[in-house]
Amino acid sequence: MTTQAQDNGFCCADHSGAANVAAILAAAEARARATGARLTPVRRRVLEILLQAHGALGAYDVLEKLSAEGFGSQPPVAYRALNFLVDQGLAHRIRRLNAFTACAHPGQDHRAAFLICESCDSVTEADAGAVSAALDQAAKAAGFDLARATIEAVGQCSACREAAR
Amino acid sequence: MTTQAQDNGFCCADHSGAANVAAILAAAEARARATGARLTPVRRRVLEILLQAHGALGAYDVLEKLSAEGFGSQPPVAYRALNFLVDQGLAHRIRRLNAFTACAHPGQDHRAAFLICESCDSVTEADAGAVSAALDQAAKAAGFDLARATIEAVGQCSACREAAR
DNA sequence: TTATCTAACGTTATATCATAACAGTCAAGG
DNA sequence: CCTTGACTGTTATGATATAACGTTAGATAA
Ligand SMILES: [Zn+2]
Ligand SMILES: [Zn+2]
Ligand SMILES: [Zn+2]
Ligand SMILES: [Zn+2]
């Protein structure tokens, strides 16, 4: 199974478009230098792959591309790079899809929710500010000390709904 | 790895306690009869196992118990029963843990959030009414037709926080 | 410069989670 | 009785993820 979103002409997230990819990559590089994190070739390339995917990619999808380009060909190569990007806030893990997607707003401290389209597999990162606040509230009511949360919605994106009409 | 919560004396969710287990099982049975769903021995036993676990169990944890009791010993046996329970609203899948937990409020149409303790692995089902409303709002703003959502928080439960003080 | 240290890389091997496909069982309905 | 369909169990395989270890390359210090 591939988890790549189909590239069917319409774009889903803010990071679509080659120009934006370059800008985000540059910003990631600058931020890495600033924080001391090392955006190595594999890591940088994985981020680029995610940015170009317009959707979430499974670790093995990423690995396949890496392998074809002369990087390592074994799972840890992909998982390490992906986990690094997630730790750095440059990518997100989509648990429902066992997949990863580039962050649409890197650098900003943001709480994200993901809107997963069942028709086209696109994954859109939405601002979860209000959702997160409500969740904080619910956790507080339960006496739970919330560290982080996963918020994933499944349904149909606007483009697919239009197309289905 | 076992995903079973440690049974360390304190209970986490509403369904704790043998009496409550029996009550929920009875209610599940009644509801199954009413809707035509068949709560067969394996399914009933799996629900019971989840109810007694006081936490989320992986499919293979459940399978191990089933197998020891004379039920089938292969993965599909556990996955089928678990998926049935989830479909019936009698259990929930916790994606972050690759695990399942009995629903604390079966029969009610509810949107749930899960509070996962990193210290004791307990999983508490919290009412996600407000969270869900905020998420509906966010989805609507993005033109996304939301079918269902996964809301999982990770942190530390009150009991563990107390114990750590 | 050269020695030393450490983070990152790549590999092998294995663990863990999940489903496809098919045969046997059994109860309900004709 | 016989068909039908839901359920169970099996074999086999696929998909996702990490442990462990040797090697490499970049940084640091003598
Ligand atoms: Zn983001
Ligand atoms: Zn879509
Ligand atoms: Zn529930
Ligand atoms: Zn706890």
Side-chain angles (χ1 to χ4, degrees), chain B residues 89 92 102-106 110 112 114 125:
Chain B
H92 296 284
C103 177
H105 311 289
H110 62 296
F114 297 93
E125 181 172 349

Side-chain angles (χ1 to χ4, degrees), chain A residues 11-34:
Chain A
C11 281
C12 37
D14 300 4
H15 51 69
S16 321
N20 217 339
V21 169
I24 291 187
L25 268 176
E29 229 150 53
R31 218 168 73 85
R33 256 191 303 276

Side-chain angles (χ1 to χ4, degrees), chain A residues 40 42 73-74 80:
Chain A
T40 62
V42 220
S73 62
Q74 301 305 317
R80 282 198 288 242

Side-chain angles (χ1 to χ4, degrees), chain A residues 92 103-104 110 125:
Chain A
H92 296 284
C103 177
H110 62 296
E125 181 173 348

